[in-house]
Amino acid sequence: MLEEVFRAEYGRAVSVLARVLGDIDLAEDAVQDAFATAVRRWPVDGVPASPAGWIITTARNRAVDGLRRAAKGAEKHAQAALLAHEPEEEEVGDVPDDRLRLIFTCCHPSLAPQARVALTLKLLGGLSTAEIARAFLVPETTMAQRIVRAKGKIRAARIPYRVPRDADLPARLEAVLAVVYLIFNEGWLDRADLADEAIRLGRVLAELMPDEPEVWGLLALMLLVASRREARLRDGEIVLLRDQDRSLWNAALVAEGQDLVRRCLRWNRPGPYQLQAAVNAVHSDPPTDWHQVVALYDQLMAIAPSPVVALHRAVAVAEVEGPAAALPEVEALDLDRYHLFHAVRADLLQRLGKNPVPALEAALERADHPAERDLLRRRLGLAAADQQDRADDDH
């Protein structure tokens, strides 16, 4: 129960406290202290009727006590007085814009782009440093240093806690969209609260910036991917797109996502999220037109090239031109830390009648999610058995 409350309410609690305190570090410390108190008290006293309200109120009270103990001047006394008199109903009620304010604070242009995303994922999503490091494909120590530096920069530069003025919004949008999408990716498979929160933030952004096609593109992308959530797992194991039961797809989300893609096309201002949404729209209208998917990835490589995009393009090339055409493109990529690189390479090798076992072993070594590891173990077992059969036949 406590873990569920943490996942669902950590970001909201930090946002509420940050708005009042004007200090993200103090807010995060107070919320963490409140959860530590809950670990001790809830098993004895029982879970409160409003767990989220209890956490926010307890965090506020802890912050008041801490400020008063540390008070050495009028500024700290003023902070404590302000926090102590914050209206209770505002703290425990619905505060839909607080998290959005915190996102824009963490995505201030004075912060390095990767630090903006990492800090917001930690504060808004309640993700651990290890989870964020996995999303970025970097060591945990590197990510921890980025987060510490980002917090220090916010404090030293006195970055304001607010949604920017209209004139400043576009410049801050790219990092904000990256934050929302990474939260979605972390949660969509088996942490629906995070995925739903990302979609909610996407809708808030679309309302805030209705003339930005990339905002609508991201929302369309998340809706189309989320539409397949119920078909993505079978007995705890990942089901690949080509093998999914499409009757389990959420038709309402598919329709809304496709409608938003068509809306983006009318703008004729293509961006990375719009193009990724268009790819998923093609997949949602069977049979998949792989020539169109390749063309969309060509556009994506032209405006936002990356090794991961090239990997996905190669998968589509394999469907159009065959695995022999795709394999050299995959093997030219510098993605050794990425488990899907090795999984795709294994699939292409197997389709070419070559030994996929080493590639599958590399993929399994790098995969973190239990469902992905289960799928890779099954593939590895089948591939190893096939290689043994081939060896026996040769003898």
Side-chain angles (χ1 to χ4, degrees), residues 51 97 132-133 143 264 272 277 305 332 381 392:
D97 290 334
I132 303 169
M143 186 56 59
C264 290
D392 292 343

Side-chain angles (χ1 to χ4, degrees), residues 30 108-109 114 130 137 160 193 219 239 256 323 366 373 385:
H108 194 275
Q114 290 179 321
L137 306 178
D193 59 328
L219 180 56
V239 180
E256 184 181 3
R366 290 157 177 79
R373 293 181 62 81

Side-chain angles (χ1 to χ4, degrees), residues 216-377:
W216 293 103
L218 174 59
L219 180 56
L221 173 60
M222 293 189 294
L223 293 172
L224 289 167
V225 174
S227 72
R228 304 193 289 268
R229 182 187 296 161
E230 296 302 319
R232 186 74 163 118
L233 292 176
R234 183 187 301 135
D235 298 326
E237 186 177 291
I238 289 178
V239 180
L240 300 179
L241 180 63
R242 63 174 178 262
D243 300 322
Q244 289 179 12
D245 180 356
R246 291 176 180 252
S247 69
L248 298 176
W249 289 10
N250 187 315
L253 293 183
V254 170
E256 184 181 3
Q258 290 180 331
D259 183 63
L260 292 182
V261 169
R262 287 190 288 268
R263 176 175 182 168
C264 290
L265 289 174
R266 291 194 291 270
W267 260 301
N268 196 26
R269 290 162 49 195
Y273 292 110
Q274 296 172 74
L275 290 170
Q276 291 177 75
V279 168
N280 278 272
V282 173
H283 284 312
S284 67
D285 190 14
T288 296
D289 183 342
W290 287 104
H291 288 86
Q292 190 174 357
V293 172
V294 172
L296 288 167
Y297 275 122
D298 285 340
Q299 291 185 61
L300 189 54
M301 285 294 293
I303 65 173
S306 78
V308 173
V309 172
L311 178 66
H312 287 289
R313 182 188 178 278
V315 171
V317 168
E319 298 299 323
V320 174
E321 301 178 28
L327 185 59
E329 296 187 15
V330 170
E331 292 185 330
L333 300 174
D334 183 16
L335 285 172
D336 183 68
R337 293 176 60 88
Y338 191 33
H339 72 282
L340 287 181
F341 163 76
H342 297 282
V344 168
R345 183 170 175 271
D347 181 66
L348 297 175
L349 289 169
Q350 191 163 28
R351 290 166 65 180
L352 290 168
K354 299 180 180 181
N355 183 10
V357 169
L360 285 170
E361 290 174 339
L364 180 59
E365 181 181 346
R366 290 157 177 79
D368 290 302
H369 196 285
E372 291 175 329
R373 293 181 62 81
D374 287 345
L375 173 63
L376 289 168
R377 284 194 192 95

